Amino acid sequence: MSRYSRWQNVFRSERLNSELDDELQHHLAQAAEDLIASGMSEKEARSAARRRLGNYGLQKERTRDMNIAAWLDSLRADLAYGVRQLKSSPGFAAIAIASLALGIGANTAIFQLVNAIRLKALPVKNPHELALIDFEDGSTRFGAWFNDDAVATYAEWDQIRAQQQAFSGILAWGRTRFNLVNGGEPRYAQGLYVSGDFFRVLGVNAVLGRTLTAQDDTKTCNAGAVLSYPFWQREFAGDSAVPGRTVSLNGFAVPVIGVTPESFFGLEVGSQFDIAVPLCTDPLMDPDHIGRSGMPAGYWLSIMGRLKPGWTVKRATAHLHTISPGIMQATLPPVYSPVVAKGYLANRLTALEGSTGLSGLRTQYERALWLLMAITGLVLLIACANLANLLLARATVREPEIAVRLALGASRGRLIRQLLAESLLLAIAGTVAGISLAIVLSRALIAFISPAGNPVFVDTRPDAEVLLYSVAMAMLTCVLFGLAPALRSSHLSPAAAMRSGGRSVTAGREHFGLRRILVTTQVALSLVLLFGALLFVRSFRNLLTTDPGFQAEGLLALNVDFAKANYSVERRRAFNSDLAGRFSLLPGAVGVSQVAFTPIGGSSWSDMVGADNAIAENSGNLVDFNVVSPGYFRTMETRFIAGRDFNDRDRLTSPKVAIVNQAFAHRLFGGANPIGHTFRYTAEAGKTAPSYQIIGLVANTKDRQLREDFRPIAFFDTDQDENPGATTTFVIRMSGSPARLMNGARTAIASVNPSIGIEFRPLSAQLKESLLQESLMATLSGGFGFLAASLAALGLYGVMAYMVAKRSNEIGVRIALGADRAGVIRLILREAVLLLAAGMIAGAAFAWWAGKEAATLLFGLQPRDISTLAGAMLLLAIIGLLAGYFPARRAGTLDPAAALRTT
Amino acid sequence: MPKTRNDKLQGTLNLLVLRTLEARGSLHGYGLSEHIQAVSDELLQVEEGSLYPALHRMEQDGWISSKWEITDKGRKAKVYSITARGRKQLADEHETWERLTRGVARVLKYT
């Protein structure tokens, strides 16, 4: 048979069928004829021939199946049959598809994020050859960190580039943001300072104009900007003549030289760069022409290299180890004291797998996302158990039909296939709906975790991995909820099934065994999810209600940037106090103070401190510093415990003074009154650090994040700051509308100098944004926990209702014989309680074990919190008993006569 | 490459069918089973339930071909005949069978 005619078989099943009939009939006729010839009666001969051939229908089917894609045809028939079955019960189909879509949709959405943040390789040439270069854990480095994940100073980068042999190309980049407007309120673009070779090493070519080259990144520095595709579209409307135009970055007009491809977002997953300029522009943009590159201990660069052919990350690490001492020697910051310098010289560099780039987002959310994936997985499992239960109920209704078909010779395999086809249809419909849902959900998730004004950029376009994942999900769920009912139905003994289709007084135990197990599993899993949800909600509530030590509500932070005004240091000091005076006159301003670092603001300054005459370097007392103006604690409403505030007599020339918090007093002086004591921080090489006298003690405040234990903090006076910068932050305590105050502040600034930039941030919003991850976990786990409990309640209700319906005869007899109705209700409820109890015991054990996974994400409570577990169990018990009560009440109010008559 | 099947009995049925068709030209299913029974002096009885699935599979594998004929009794019958590929398969299965029986015989003799 030719291939063509084989395929033809699929489309002419009727003909194939009749041909098979003809062939087998011919066989029977011949056999009967021979038997008659040997003396048998015609009737006997026919049945003997028939017996010899065996089960005619099965024979035909087995023969048919030998014909190629006859099974394809039967698959089509099975699917058509499945569609008919589902059409006949649209309610069931709708519930099934909706619950699957929710489960698969939520799962796929989370997977999309995990995939984009953790798994996907960078959109560059051969990303698997890339390696990140970093210092080994435990390295000794002190200095100013401009990004949390910065690795190197400019000097270190310069030496690494010069000395390394492991990479065919090496690149460095530093994050920044560029202000696109001059003066007034800023509009920021995400900027990258990149080494000249950046684009060449990555293999990213320009779609328009050219990218940067090594010749752009030299001492003479012909600054040119490379735009990202979205920025080009947004700011230049995709103008093809953009190379040659200029873009204003922090007030500098920089010529645009090219545009990168649409897929290239940079090397940091979670953000999309807008503009890249060469590293050499960094000092040019600094009013003091030093920049971060010029700081001997200014950490702001990340480094990546493309491994030479044949080199591995391990070999590169070994190589970096050998060149590390030379690099450290060449880059030792001169300000380091001998103790620190000794540690620095022992530092070692290492190479890390770099194909997925860097990501602060990953660090922050990876654990939460994996946990959410587990949670949505459990929700999907519960949904599957529900569906399996529903299908079992349907299968029971169809038992007589299936029994008849088995008796007529249907093969079990075919029956299983037919029942699975129905499940497959549900799974496919659920997956298709789920994928559409996932696209919406993942966008919503990204919007959720995006801080205002700095949207998280994650490429979540569904790709092969995501599609593969959801198809795998569909297959898995189909097998999970469809296989058990299908297997069970096909193992019916036809005779028994047909008997039980008739009248029976009690329902057999075996009917319920599997369904009981399913419901118990649902209860157990939903307890775990409810427990998790309560943990996260409580943890979030703890964070919201934790006392940060200041009153964030009604506080406005205000950033003033006068870098373009080119003020001298003396002028800056005068300007600051002039501004503070103007702000305090604004209507609605209750208090105005200057501060270097607003709490929970993302930046900080810390150093080792030695009490009295102790040496700071090896004291082990790491302390955060802040610089504030007199009245700061009053403005923040932070409790003053002892001593005095800064005042006019604390001048630049007078002895240095400081105010410390309780944690500081506790750490350095064992809780004794610190007032009158002195301290020093680490000295630069060859100098002695000034000695600060403690004049005041204030209550503890949260400094870097709300989750932290109170850190020791020392506050210095702005008036004693020898080197005020070109930006200042004020905090203003407001009464009344912020809008009016903000307008007043804008006018006040503009009247001084229109080139000054100004930016507002309500402190309460800043606090909320620092809790995005916790808020995400609380919201999502709460939602999923509720969904899981509802699904479990639905499952329990279904089983109980079904059981009452099946046992209505028995219950009718009981009532007729005088059982009281309360007794009947108790009888049914006892069943529900048993199921609930079994599920909860299993669930509690599971929750106890799983709790530790959440430990690092919790605040203010232990992962194995008994009261939370008890709360979850109580909640589930109430929901479960309600679900069981309604069927029980129905059983109690059965009319015995009616119950006995109907079957 | 000839397909070999692990199922020994199945293989035997293939062998018997192919050999019969080689010797007798074309036959229909019933004729095949009758012929095998007769030639083997009633020692071998073809399991009729397995015959038709086997015939259809061999046809799919291209070892035999079929056509519809009207028998001398006026019935419509599907008759099978061996193909070139079938002859190769037969030679192959014949050899396998010879080896098997030789081996079994030796074991029975010398153990």
Side-chain angles (χ1 to χ4, degrees):
Chain A
M1 226 194 254
S2 73
R3 196 158 293 250
Y4 169 70
S5 65
R6 283 178 174 202
W7 277 103
Q8 253 188 341
N9 269 347
V10 181
F11 303 105
R12 42 161 224 198
S13 60
E14 283 317 307
R15 191 160 150 221
L16 184 65
N17 249 335
S18 76
E19 279 186 8
L20 275 172
D21 264 332
D22 284 350
E23 191 173 8
L24 291 173
Q25 286 301 340
H26 171 253
H27 180 103
L28 288 174
Q30 284 280 352
E33 201 168 280
D34 283 0
L35 287 171
I36 292 169
S38 71
M40 217 180 256
S41 80
E42 189 178 334
K43 199 175 155 203
E44 270 177 52
R46 283 194 192 288
S47 67
R50 195 77 195 227
R51 263 200 310 279
R52 256 174 56 187
L53 188 65
N55 183 335
Y56 183 85
L58 190 60
Q59 223 45 264
K60 195 172 135 191
E61 196 175 304
R62 278 178 56 200
T63 311
R64 228 175 79 92
D65 282 352
M66 287 305 149
N67 275 304
I68 276 295
W71 73 267
L72 260 186
D73 179 60
S74 65
L75 180 69
R76 184 192 55 77
D78 289 344
L79 287 177
Y81 179 77
V83 169
R84 273 207 307 281
Q85 285 290 326
L86 291 178
K87 265 191 188 159
S88 68
S89 40
F92 163 76
I95 290 181
I97 293 173
S99 58
L100 274 182
L102 266 180
I104 294 181
N107 234 304
T108 309
I110 305 280
F111 177 75
Q112 264 183 305
L113 283 190
V114 169
N115 180 42
I117 292 177
R118 172 75 267 183
L119 306 174
K120 224 187 248 182
L122 290 170
V124 300
K125 197 176 86 187
N126 303 337
H128 293 282
E129 296 170 3
L130 295 175
L132 288 160
I133 298 172
D134 202 346
F135 279 73
E136 279 198 340
D137 284 346
S139 287
T140 308
R141 288 174 292 165
F142 288 98
W145 254 263
F146 294 93
N147 307 319
D148 292 344
D149 45 14
V151 164
T153 65
Y154 187 86
E156 284 162 359
W157 147 246
D158 209 30
Q159 285 299 318
I160 294 170
R161 175 174 53 179
Q163 299 195 22
Q164 68 81 21
Q165 312 264 315
F167 304 95
S168 61
I170 185 166
L171 58 94
W173 77 99
R175 248 199 327 259
T176 190
R177 53 178 199 178
F178 292 122
N179 188 355
L180 298 174
V181 296
N182 297 326
E185 278 188 77
R187 200 157 61 81
Y188 290 113
Q190 299 300 318
L192 284 184
Y193 287 109
V194 301
S195 59
D197 264 352
F198 185 83
F199 293 104
R200 188 190 60 77
V201 174
L202 291 176
V204 172
N205 296 316
V207 291
L208 188 67
R210 63 176 182 91
T211 56
L212 293 164
T213 62
Q215 284 76 49
D216 295 299
D217 187 20
T218 55
K219 281 259 152 44
T220 48
C221 201
N222 296 312
V226 172
L227 309 183
S228 78
Y229 191 92
F231 185 79
W232 173 53
Q233 292 290 330
R234 195 169 70 230
E235 297 287 324
F236 292 92
D239 176 13
S240 60
V242 74
R245 290 175 66 175
T246 60
V247 57
S248 167
L249 307 178
N250 297 349
F252 294 91
V254 180
V256 174
I257 60 168
V259 178
T260 56
E262 196 173 359
S263 61
F264 183 69
F265 55 80
L267 297 181
E268 294 181 42
V269 178
S271 60
Q272 159 83 53
F273 91 101
D274 291 322
I275 302 160
V277 295
L279 282 177
C280 61
T281 38
D282 167 61
L284 298 183
M285 293 213 182
D286 178 22
D288 303 330
H289 293 292
I290 296 167
R292 300 182 283 190
S293 305
M295 295 175 65
Y299 283 88
W300 67 295
L301 294 174
S302 303
I303 305 177
M304 200 179 242
R306 189 177 287 283
L307 290 165
K308 282 181 181 167
W311 281 67
T312 61
V313 168
K314 214 172 144 193
R315 190 168 160 206
T317 298
H319 168 68
L320 288 170
H321 281 173
T322 62
I323 63 170
S324 291
I327 290 172
M328 301 305 150
Q329 194 67 52
T331 59
L332 178 65
V335 292
Y336 280 0
S337 65
V339 180
V340 180
K342 193 169 160 241
Y344 180 83
L345 291 175
N347 285 341
R348 290 207 297 184
L349 294 166
T350 180
L352 305 164
E353 163 60 34
S355 62
T356 55
L358 268 184
S359 178
L361 198 68
R362 187 183 301 158
T363 327
Q364 195 184 353
Y365 284 104
E366 188 175 1
R367 191 166 184 81
L369 282 176
W370 285 116
L371 208 62
L372 279 175
M373 221 165 116
I375 288 176
T376 49
L378 288 185
V379 171
L380 188 58
L381 268 185
I382 294 174
C384 281
N386 239 357
L387 274 188
N389 242 332
L390 284 172
L391 282 172
L392 275 175
R394 279 164 64 81
T396 319
V397 173
R398 283 165 64 181
E399 258 173 26
E401 172 209 334
I402 289 169
V404 167
R405 292 167 63 184
L406 277 173
L408 287 179
S411 76
R412 291 182 198 279
R414 182 65 197 279
L415 267 179
I416 293 179
R417 236 162 56 194
Q418 204 169 58
L419 292 171
L420 271 182
E422 198 179 325
S423 312
L424 185 68
L425 278 174
L426 288 177
I428 290 174
T431 307
V432 170
I435 291 178
S436 341
L437 189 65
I439 293 173
V440 180
L441 276 181
S442 59
R443 284 207 192 115
L445 276 175
I446 292 167
F448 195 109
I449 59 175
S450 290
N454 183 18
V456 165
F457 170 81
V458 176
D459 183 7
T460 54
R461 280 171 302 181
D463 54 9
E465 279 85 26
V466 171
L467 286 180
L468 209 69
Y469 180 81
S470 21
V471 168
M473 279 286 162
M475 289 300 162
L476 185 73
T477 51
C478 173
V479 168
L480 275 180
F481 69 74
L483 198 59
L487 280 179
R488 257 190 49 141
S489 312
S490 71
H491 279 94
L492 279 176
S493 140
M498 287 169 85
R499 253 203 319 280
S500 77
R503 196 181 176 85
S504 67
V505 176
T506 57
R509 184 155 271 280
E510 77 280 5
H511 270 116
F512 293 124
L514 187 55
R515 310 194 66 191
R516 281 203 181 94
I517 293 173
L518 284 172
V519 167
T520 311
T521 314
Q522 280 182 306
V523 170
L525 294 182
S526 57
L527 179 68
V528 176
L529 293 190
L530 267 185
F531 173 61
L534 284 185
L535 278 182
F536 286 119
V537 168
R538 282 190 63 187
S539 155
F540 183 49
R541 206 179 143 269
N542 284 349
L543 279 167
L544 282 183
T545 54
T546 187
D547 179 15
F550 55 89
Q551 181 57 44
E553 212 55 53
L555 269 184
L556 185 70
L558 201 158
N559 260 333
V560 180
D561 176 358
F562 45 95
K564 296 302 286 177
N566 287 322
Y567 291 153
S568 66
V569 169
E570 289 72 33
R571 179 87 172 77
R572 287 173 189 174
R573 208 170 277 123
F575 172 79
N576 282 337
S577 59
D578 174 41
L579 267 190
R582 282 169 190 265
F583 289 151
S584 61
L585 292 177
L586 293 174
V590 179
V592 177
S593 303
Q594 209 182 311
V595 60
F597 308 103
T598 55
I600 330 289
S603 42
S604 57
W605 165 31
S606 60
D607 201 347
M608 295 290 182
V609 158
D612 294 323
N613 291 318
I615 295 165
E617 275 83 349
N618 40 21
S619 69
N621 296 319
L622 192 65
V623 168
D624 279 7
F625 298 127
N626 206 343
V627 189
V628 304
S629 66
Y632 172 77
F633 301 102
R634 202 168 52 244
T635 307
M636 298 296 285
E637 293 181 14
T638 298
R639 199 156 49 89
F640 219 98
I641 294 174
R644 67 168 179 90
D645 197 356
F646 302 123
N647 60 31
D648 292 347
R649 286 190 302 280
D650 303 316
R651 314 297 317 170
L652 200 53
T653 47
S654 62
K656 303 274 193 223
V657 289
I659 296 172
V660 300
N661 70 353
Q662 290 165 302
F664 186 103
H666 189 82
R667 170 69 69 85
L668 274 93
F669 304 103
N673 185 357
I675 291 170
H677 285 281
T678 61
F679 67 87
R680 294 171 202 269
Y681 51 81
T682 57
E684 291 183 8
K687 290 185 190 169
T688 40
S691 166
Y692 286 87
Q693 184 173 33
I694 299 171
I695 57 161
L697 176 66
V698 291
N700 286 329
T701 53
K702 299 279 179 177
D703 195 36
R704 298 188 190 182
Q705 44 177 333
L706 284 172
R707 304 179 67 102
E708 72 193 8
D709 295 329
F710 290 113
R711 292 164 182 276
I713 311 175
F715 298 90
F716 304 136
D717 190 349
T718 43
D719 288 336
Q720 296 189 325
D721 184 1
E722 283 163 20
N723 221 340
T727 60
T728 313
T729 305
F730 294 91
V731 280
I732 304 182
R733 167 78 52 202
M734 306 176 287
S735 72
S737 135
R740 204 169 58 142
L741 186 74
M742 279 153 72
N743 274 332
R746 276 189 207 108
T747 321
I749 296 265
S751 70
V752 177
N753 185 340
S755 80
I756 294 172
I758 180 168
E759 189 183 9
F760 302 97
R761 267 174 309 144
L763 230 62
S764 53
Q766 188 165 310
L767 250 58
K768 274 205 198 85
E769 258 171 29
S770 77
L771 296 180
L772 279 177
Q773 189 229 64
E774 288 80 3
S775 163
L776 178 80
M777 285 310 284
T779 313
L780 289 190
S781 68
F784 289 133
F786 180 74
L787 186 66
S790 321
L791 284 174
L794 203 69
L796 189 66
Y797 172 83
V799 166
M800 298 307 295
Y802 175 76
M803 195 185 72
V804 167
K806 272 276 170 183
R807 288 172 69 176
S808 61
N809 271 356
E810 173 206 338
I811 294 165
V813 169
R814 282 170 187 267
I815 294 177
L817 290 178
D820 80 28
R821 288 171 190 278
V824 170
I825 294 183
R826 268 204 304 278
L827 180 80
I828 303 295
L829 267 185
R830 201 178 57 203
E831 177 75 24
V833 168
L834 273 178
L835 287 176
L836 268 175
M840 288 220 247
I841 291 169
F846 186 19
W848 207 242
W849 172 79
K852 64 179 189 299
E853 295 302 314
T856 55
L857 297 174
L858 296 178
F859 174 79
L861 74 171
Q862 290 303 309
R864 291 180 170 172
D865 188 77
I866 280 285
S867 65
T868 307
L869 187 57
M873 290 176 91
L874 186 69
L875 199 62
L876 193 58
I878 293 172
I879 298 174
L881 283 179
L882 269 179
Y885 176 70
F886 290 104
R889 205 184 53 177
R890 192 173 325 133
T893 54
L894 268 182
D895 173 8
L900 287 170
R901 231 178 280 122
T902 58
T903 304
Chain B
M1 198 192 133
K3 291 183 186 175
T4 51
R5 295 183 193 276
N6 287 333
D7 189 325
K8 201 177 77 212
L9 290 172
Q10 195 74 62
T12 317
L13 183 58
N14 286 351
L15 180 61
L16 293 177
V17 167
L18 288 173
R19 170 70 192 131
T20 308
L21 287 179
E22 189 197 31
R24 299 289 311 260
S26 56
L27 274 176
H28 48 65
Y30 182 74
L32 261 169
S33 70
E34 287 298 292
H35 182 80
I36 291 172
Q37 205 167 324
V39 167
S40 69
D41 282 338
E42 312 276 317
L43 282 175
L44 295 176
Q45 180 139 20
V46 174
E47 171 83 57
E48 291 181 9
S50 320
L51 180 64
Y52 288 96
L55 282 173
H56 281 245
R57 194 184 42 241
M58 288 199 270
E59 191 180 355
Q60 292 295 323
D61 289 343
W63 301 344
I64 58 178
S65 62
S66 73
K67 59 176 187 284
W68 287 90
E69 275 178 5
I70 306 293
T71 62
D72 35 358
K73 290 189 181 114
R75 288 205 183 89
K76 214 174 106 182
K78 195 177 184 187
V79 297
Y80 296 90
S81 45
I82 192 163
T83 63
R85 223 150 140 209
R87 284 174 209 281
K88 244 184 97 193
Q89 178 68 21
L90 174 61
D92 228 80
E93 293 208 4
H94 199 153
E95 202 201 309
T96 312
W97 176 255
E98 289 286 339
R99 253 205 321 262
L100 179 72
T101 46
R102 254 200 326 272
V104 172
R106 274 166 175 269
V107 170
L108 291 177
K109 208 164 166 184
Y110 295 115
T111 337

